[in-house]
């Protein structure tokens, strides 16, 4: 460590103040061994006008004006008064962090931070300078008017670094603003413990005599602040007996690294016992998460096993737990490998209560935390409302310490169809997450529930949630006549089962790779013929989810029936303002030959039927598929439309068909390639597709009852016979889809909306 030579510094200052010649070669900073040297040390709150290492060394060589400016700084006066006090106390050496570290060297800065606790611990005396305390005695009560930013006490008590500077030295002397001594640490142990929550025995005897658990030590820093985010972690390294490199710029990851180093060097499971509810990494983001851990203590193995009697029948109680299972939890690239006692929450197969061998108060039961199983690993979880569950079992699991995706989710809800049927939205929980018909979620607000009912009958709640970066929707039905004014009974169970709901939607999403998908969930309202249909689509252009709620009548009564989510590929505009009636569910037959062709320069997939068909496929044909997956035409929309003599515009759209790059060959022919890689020559191709205007969408709706479960030819490519072929024939290329409004009303006795 580099120390101030107190005698040399004071002599230099004496010569400068008297205007005498100063020896520029005289050293005021020299290297020393903290294990050998007898030195004093300063603990203080940094201010704007500090003196750094270079200024301290080069002061004698500076011009008079520059030297005078430095000597007038409050930071320089602080060094001078510290040196005077050190000489008065009979010591030759002094260490001050502002000027004894060359911060231009990252290696030296890292060494100093990793050694700082030891340097304060090995000092003979520590001067705690309270720069904002004018009184001649130590305050005995908080003064929020004088110290509003530091919770009623001098600012020194609110800073992150001063925590270790208070605990590590054996002798701490407090000085006021004018450098008058006001008391010492041992005398003030009681009031200091009240201010800082550090126990009196730790203040008097240090950490070596009876080191508290990790969670308790971190809790002392919960409300302290630092200028740099990273210092929230770095200032705790000495207190936690941890060393690690400095990486300024890593932000909150510094505190994550600190916890991982603790895990690598100890078997103290209280590091997992922080109490602030959140979903994701098993590691806390900040010391504030440990705020409620100031009474935390570890339990030995016998105490912990005995405490399990509250959770496990006597005959199943383990008599001992092997050291390699109970005390070791290595950090791997997959997660923290650990044995924990787990039991599932009520009504959930993926949320568990985990018991830790520590307690939040003397003689208390083991601390429990909630974990959620997601993709074979376990994450920290919040949201369960009851601890009762299944049997407690010792399991070997991986706790994920990597962060889960942090993003906001927006749901745009269209419930006009159910409102038109007499249903009303009776309550929203919590209301702050809704703006009009939009719900916005985040990792801190992962769920919003809306309640509906029809004249106080057929009540149901719809939950919009986010879990591990996956959005989900769930429906919970109540008994007819039950009130929905209070949604908390629905909110808690939904949140407790959020991982299962998220997995259900993820399965429907991951089964396909479409650019635009609609997902559908149908739920029968209890003791009624009402079917609630929830449809969801993601608009990638805006990262928003559109949700449509509809009800229709279905024959037969029954209990609550909720099927799994079903995903459908759709053709439709990726636009939050588009009309859902225009969505088309794509269909490809496994026996068809498929090819990707460019329509107006945009790649699209078409199917080819053999020329041996007895009829031509025409735009607007509708029908069904046979068991052998052949399309069987039942009619044509344009023919039906003309027979109705309606006044509307349903003119087909015309398109240019081309190869990649947008050109045809010299002979008016182009080459396409099917899904097997074989080339196919198309002669003078010309494309037609169905319109997407409001008139045509209205036609789809008007036919949705009669043509439910039918398929529709949405696009065709016309190719006249190629004269170069020996046997000229017409090519049949087209795309087939099911209008979403036709699928939506499959099996419905009436059409809603």
């Amino acid at each position: 460590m580099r120390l101030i030579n107190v005698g040399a510094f004071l002599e230099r200052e004496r010569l400068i103040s008297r205007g005498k010649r100063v020896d520029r070669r005289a050293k005021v900073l020299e290297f020393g061994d903290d294990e050998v040297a007898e030195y004093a040390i300063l603990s203080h709150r940094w201010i704007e006008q500090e003196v750094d290492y270079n200024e301290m060394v080069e002061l004698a060589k500076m011009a008079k004006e520059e030297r005078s400016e430095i000597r007038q700084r409050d930071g320089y006066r602080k060094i001078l008064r510290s040196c005077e006090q050190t000489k008065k106390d009979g010591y030759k050496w002094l260490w001050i962090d502002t000027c004894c570290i060359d911060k231009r060297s990252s290696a030296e800065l890292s060494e100093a931070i990793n050694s700082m606790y030891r340097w304060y611990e090995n000092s003979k005396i520590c001067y705690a300078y309270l720069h904002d305390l004018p009184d001649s005695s130590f305050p005995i009560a908080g003064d929020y008017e004088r110290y509003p930013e530091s919770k009623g006490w001098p600012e020194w008590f609110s800073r992150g670094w001063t925590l270790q500077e208070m605990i590590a030295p054996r002798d701490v002397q407090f000085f006021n603003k004018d450098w008058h001594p006001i008391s010492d640490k041992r005398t003030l142990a009681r009031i200091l413990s009240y201010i800082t929550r550090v126990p009196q025995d730790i203040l008097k005897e240090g950490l070596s005599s009876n080191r508290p658990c990790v969670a308790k030590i971190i809790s002392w820093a919960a409300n302290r602040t630092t200028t740099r985010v990273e210092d929230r972690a770095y200032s705790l390294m000495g207190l936690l007996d941890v060393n690690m490199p400095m990486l300024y710029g890593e932000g909150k990851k510094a505190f994550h690294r600190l916890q991982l180093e603790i895990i690598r060097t100890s078997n103290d499971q209280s590091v997992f016992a922080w109490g602030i509810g959140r979903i994701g990494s098993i590691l806390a983001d900040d010391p504030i998460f440990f705020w409620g851990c100031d009474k935390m203590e570890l339990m030995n193995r016998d105490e912990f096993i005995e405490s399990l009697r509250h959770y496990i029948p006597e005959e199943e109680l383990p008599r001992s737990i092997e050291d390699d299972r109970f005390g070791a939890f290595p950090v791997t690239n997959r997660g923290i490998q650990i044995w924990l006692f787990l039991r599932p929450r009520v009504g959930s197969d993926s949320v568990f209560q985990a018991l830790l061998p520590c307690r939040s108060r003397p003689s208390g039961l083991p601390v429990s935390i909630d974990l959620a199983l997601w993709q074979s690993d376990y994450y920290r979880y919040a949201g369960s409302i009851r601890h009762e569950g299944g049997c407690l079992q010792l399991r070997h699991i991986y706790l994920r310490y990597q962060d889960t995706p942090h993003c906001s989710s927006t749901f745009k809800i269209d419930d006009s169809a159910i409102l038109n049927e007499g249903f009303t939205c009776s309550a929203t929980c919590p209301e702050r997450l809704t703006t009009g018909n939009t719900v916005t979620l985040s990792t801190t607000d992962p769920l919003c529930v809306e309640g509906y009912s029809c004249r106080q009958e057929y009540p149901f709640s719809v939950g919009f949630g986010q879990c591990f970066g996956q959005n989900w929707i769930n429906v919970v039905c109540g008994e007819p006549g039950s009130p929905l004014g209070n949604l908390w009974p629905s909110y808690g169970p939904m949140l407790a089962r959020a991982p299962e709901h998220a997995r259900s939607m993820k399965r429907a999403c991951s089964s396909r790779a479409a650019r635009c998908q609609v997902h559908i969930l149908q739920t029968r309202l209890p003791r009624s013929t009402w079917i609630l249909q929830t449809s969801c689509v993601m608009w990638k252009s805006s990262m928003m989810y559109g949700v449509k709620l509809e009800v229709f009548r279905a024959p037969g009564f029954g209990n609550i029936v909720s099927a799994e989510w079903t995903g459908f590929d759709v053709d439709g505009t990726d636009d939050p303002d588009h009309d859902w009636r225009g969505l088309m569910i794509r269909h490809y037959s496994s026996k068809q030959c498929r090819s990707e062709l460019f329509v107006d320069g945009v790649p699209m997939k078409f199917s080819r039927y053999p020329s041996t068909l007895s009829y031509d496929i025409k735009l607007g044909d509708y029908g069904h598929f046979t068991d052998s997956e052949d399309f069987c035409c039942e009619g044509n929309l344009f023919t039906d439309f003309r027979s109705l003599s309606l006044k509307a515009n349903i003119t087909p759209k015309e398109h240019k068909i081309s190869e990649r790059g947008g050109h045809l060959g010299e002979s008016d022919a182009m080459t396409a390639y099917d899904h097997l890689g074989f080339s196919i020559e198309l002669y003078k191709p010309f494309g037609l597709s169905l319109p997407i205007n409001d008139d045509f969408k209205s036609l789809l709706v008007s036919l949705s009852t009669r043509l439910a479960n039918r398929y529709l030819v949405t696009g065709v490519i016309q190719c006249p016979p190629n004269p170069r072929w020996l046997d000229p024939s017409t090519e049949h290329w087209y795309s087939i889809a099911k209008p979403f409004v036709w699928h939506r009303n499959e099996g419905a006795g009436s059409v809603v909306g």
Side-chain angles (χ1 to χ4, degrees):
M1 64 188 305
R2 191 183 283 110
L3 294 165
I4 299 173
N5 185 326
V6 173
F9 176 85
L10 292 176
E11 177 61 16
R12 186 180 73 175
E13 174 61 22
R14 185 183 68 82
L15 294 173
I16 293 175
S17 64
R18 294 184 179 184
K20 303 218 175 187
R21 186 174 179 274
V22 179
D23 183 359
R24 297 187 175 189
R25 295 172 299 177
K27 292 184 177 181
V28 295
L29 292 176
E30 299 183 37
F31 282 102
D33 186 346
D34 64 289
E35 301 286 350
V36 177
E38 295 187 349
Y39 60 93
I41 200 165
L42 177 66
S43 175
H44 63 112
R45 166 71 175 104
W46 278 42
I47 55 179
E48 293 183 4
Q49 295 182 321
E50 297 292 352
V51 178
D52 63 23
Y53 164 80
N54 189 60
E55 292 170 327
M56 187 72 164
V57 172
E58 300 294 331
L59 186 69
K61 303 176 185 179
M62 293 178 181
K64 183 177 180 180
E65 293 79 8
E66 187 178 1
R67 180 193 301 170
S68 177
E69 185 276 324
I70 291 175
R71 292 177 61 244
Q72 291 176 14
R73 294 180 190 173
D74 290 340
Y76 186 86
R77 305 304 298 174
K78 187 163 43 179
I79 296 172
L80 176 59
R81 296 304 295 268
S82 297
C83 285
E84 292 173 345
Q85 187 64 43
T86 301
K87 181 179 179 181
K88 181 179 178 181
D89 290 333
Y91 299 105
K92 296 172 55 178
W93 306 99
L94 171 67
W95 188 86
I96 302 178
D97 53 1
T98 54
C99 60
C100 290
I101 306 172
D102 186 356
K103 300 175 184 64
R104 296 172 298 183
S105 168
S106 59
E108 182 173 335
L109 177 61
S110 181
E111 178 188 2
I113 291 177
N114 276 279
S115 306
M116 200 171 295
Y117 183 87
R118 190 183 77 241
W119 291 351
Y120 275 91
E121 187 178 37
N122 289 340
S123 67
K124 296 301 179 182
I125 190 170
C126 175
Y127 306 131
Y129 176 56
L130 310 183
H131 74 284
D132 52 357
L133 178 66
D135 303 335
S136 58
S137 60
F138 194 89
I140 59 174
D143 188 339
Y144 284 88
E145 185 175 349
R146 177 183 289 182
Y147 307 110
E149 301 298 325
S150 51
K151 294 182 170 54
W153 300 97
E155 193 177 7
W156 187 87
F157 292 99
S158 69
R159 306 303 298 178
W161 289 103
T162 55
L163 177 61
Q164 69 172 4
E165 296 165 11
M166 176 184 66
I167 293 174
R170 192 167 189 82
D171 184 5
V172 179
Q173 300 289 329
F174 288 90
F175 292 81
N176 71 0
K177 179 179 180 180
D178 299 319
W179 278 94
H180 294 147
I182 52 178
S183 195
D184 64 273
K185 180 172 72 167
R186 296 184 70 85
T187 303
L188 296 172
R190 184 174 182 181
I191 184 65
L192 291 177
S193 179
Y194 172 76
I195 298 171
T196 65
R197 302 196 304 162
V198 178
Q200 293 186 50
D201 63 309
I202 299 296
L203 293 171
K204 293 178 179 179
E205 305 300 332
L207 290 172
S208 57
S209 59
N210 184 20
R211 178 174 286 274
C213 67
V214 166
K216 187 171 187 175
I217 293 175
I218 299 177
S219 75
W220 303 335
N223 278 341
R224 291 178 175 256
T225 60
T226 57
T227 303
R228 300 289 296 269
V229 174
E230 297 84 356
D231 286 337
R232 298 278 283 154
Y234 302 159
S235 61
L236 285 168
M237 292 194 303
L239 290 165
L240 296 166
D241 196 21
V242 165
N243 294 98
M244 65 183 194
M246 308 298 100
L247 297 172
Y248 282 103
E250 65 177 331
K252 70 178 184 180
K253 289 183 179 179
F255 192 60
H256 292 171
R257 284 201 300 127
L258 177 71
Q259 294 166 85
L260 290 176
E261 288 300 320
I262 293 169
I263 293 167
R264 290 188 179 100
T265 57
S266 77
N267 60 359
D268 186 338
Q269 292 190 25
S270 73
V271 71
F272 306 125
W274 44 272
I276 292 180
R278 55 161 265 186
I279 299 173
S281 169
I282 192 63
L283 304 178
D285 287 342
D286 189 88
I288 190 63
F289 284 37
F290 289 85
W291 164 252
C293 299
D294 55 308
K295 298 292 190 298
M296 190 79 67
E297 62 179 36
L298 297 179
M299 303 172 69
N300 62 44
R301 288 181 177 82
D302 292 339
E303 289 178 316
F304 184 51
I305 294 174
E306 180 64 23
S307 69
L308 298 181
R309 295 179 185 275
H310 294 273
Y311 307 94
I312 302 178
E314 178 70 26
E315 62 275 9
E316 299 179 16
L317 189 68
R319 300 305 173 189
S320 64
I321 304 176
E322 297 87 339
D323 287 355
D324 61 339
R325 291 204 298 177
F326 187 60
F329 34 99
V331 177
T332 72
N333 61 343
R334 178 177 173 182
I336 300 167
Q337 188 177 352
I338 191 171
W339 288 86
L340 287 177
F341 282 98
L342 303 181
R343 66 171 178 170
R345 292 295 196 187
V346 169
S348 175
D349 59 8
S350 59
V351 178
F352 300 84
Q353 177 193 19
L355 300 182
L356 304 177
C358 54
R359 51 194 173 206
S360 58
R361 64 183 185 279
S363 303
L365 294 175
V367 170
S368 68
I369 60 173
D370 281 349
L371 301 175
L373 177 62
W374 181 257
Q375 296 180 345
S376 77
D377 294 323
Y378 288 77
Y379 293 82
R380 187 66 189 260
Y381 194 70
S384 185
I385 58 173
R386 288 188 293 176
H387 290 280
E388 297 80 4
C391 294
L392 193 68
Q393 295 180 340
L394 184 61
R395 294 191 185 181
H396 185 234
I397 65 174
Y398 286 89
L399 298 176
R400 294 286 288 185
Y401 56 84
Q402 295 86 347
D403 273 335
T404 54
H406 291 270
C407 59
S408 60
S409 301
T410 303
F411 295 87
K412 186 176 180 181
I413 304 166
D414 179 1
D415 58 3
S416 58
I418 63 174
L419 299 182
N420 290 338
E421 290 293 327
F423 285 79
T424 58
C425 183
S426 54
T428 301
C429 175
E431 291 187 14
R432 67 177 184 276
L433 302 182
T434 61
T435 304
N437 65 340
T438 301
V439 171
T440 302
L441 306 177
S442 65
T443 52
T444 54
D445 288 306
L447 174 62
C448 181
V449 180
E450 294 199 346
Y452 294 87
S453 65
C454 180
R455 296 179 295 276
Q456 301 303 314
E457 294 184 306
Y458 319 121
F460 63 90
S461 303
V462 183
F464 305 93
Q466 180 195 83
C467 186
F468 302 117
Q470 172 68 44
N471 293 299
W472 58 270
I473 304 171
N474 185 58
V475 176
V476 174
C477 297
E479 288 298 317
S482 61
L484 267 178
N486 181 10
L487 289 178
W488 287 110
S490 299
Y491 187 96
M494 279 196 196
L495 194 57
R497 298 197 62 188
E500 288 118 278
H501 303 324
R503 277 203 303 270
S504 176
M505 286 206 73
K506 186 176 178 63
R507 281 194 297 269
C509 296
S510 61
S511 61
R512 301 169 185 266
R515 179 174 179 269
C516 186
Q517 285 187 301
V518 169
H519 302 98
I520 297 176
L521 176 70
Q522 291 188 344
T523 308
R524 181 184 294 277
L525 302 187
R527 301 181 185 177
S528 75
T529 58
W530 285 111
I531 297 292
L532 169 67
Q533 182 157 275
T534 308
S535 309
C536 177
V537 63
M538 180 182 179
W539 298 304
K540 293 186 178 180
S541 60
S542 61
M543 299 306 292
M544 180 184 294
Y545 284 79
V547 181
K548 192 175 185 68
L549 302 176
E550 301 164 285
V551 289
F552 57 84
R553 297 283 187 179
F557 290 83
N559 296 324
I560 301 173
V561 177
S562 290
E564 289 287 321
W565 283 92
T566 304
F568 297 93
D569 292 352
V570 296
D571 287 317
T573 55
D574 187 12
D575 180 0
D577 296 321
H578 83 279
D579 190 337
W580 287 54
R581 297 175 301 168
L583 289 177
M584 297 286 178
I585 302 173
R586 300 170 184 172
H587 177 84
Y588 300 111
S589 173
S590 61
K591 67 182 294 183
Q592 292 172 331
C593 173
R594 298 186 300 277
S595 178
E596 184 176 80
L597 304 174
F598 282 75
V599 180
D600 296 333
V602 178
M604 295 184 65
K605 291 183 179 180
F606 288 85
S607 299
R608 179 193 190 197
Y609 263 47
S611 57
T612 56
L613 285 176
S614 59
Y615 58 89
D616 290 334
I617 298 294
K618 299 184 295 298
L619 185 70
D621 283 352
Y622 58 82
H624 64 277
F625 281 91
T626 65
D627 293 340
S628 58
E629 296 192 68
D630 291 321
F631 179 70
C632 181
C633 180
E634 300 177 28
N636 184 275
L637 288 185
F638 294 99
T639 302
D640 294 348
F641 177 75
R642 286 191 292 271
S643 66
L644 296 175
S645 302
L646 299 176
K647 293 182 179 180
N649 177 22
I650 60 168
T651 305
K653 297 175 63 177
E654 299 181 358
H655 304 280
K656 176 182 178 182
I657 309 300
S658 63
E659 295 179 343
R660 187 180 299 273
H663 58 83
L664 291 176
E666 295 181 358
S667 60
D668 293 329
M670 59 169 282
T671 301
Y673 295 90
D674 65 19
H675 63 295
L676 299 177
F678 294 105
S679 62
I680 304 170
E681 187 175 276
L682 302 182
Y683 179 68
K684 293 184 179 181
F686 179 73
L688 292 174
S689 70
L690 296 175
I692 57 173
N693 56 37
D694 290 340
D695 287 341
F696 185 75
K697 292 174 186 177
S698 297
L699 177 62
L700 293 177
V701 173
S702 66
L703 298 173
S704 60
T705 302
R706 181 166 63 89
L707 299 181
N709 206 25
R710 298 300 189 271
Y711 293 86
L712 179 65
V713 177
T714 59
V716 298
I717 296 178
Q718 299 175 348
C719 297
N722 191 334
R724 295 170 50 199
W725 293 356
L726 295 177
D727 183 19
S729 59
T730 302
E731 283 284 301
H732 297 271
W733 290 87
Y734 53 91
S735 58
I736 290 182
K738 179 186 294 184
F740 180 61
V741 293
W742 292 6
H743 169 84
R744 187 186 65 200
N745 294 301
E746 287 180 17
S750 62
V751 181
V752 179

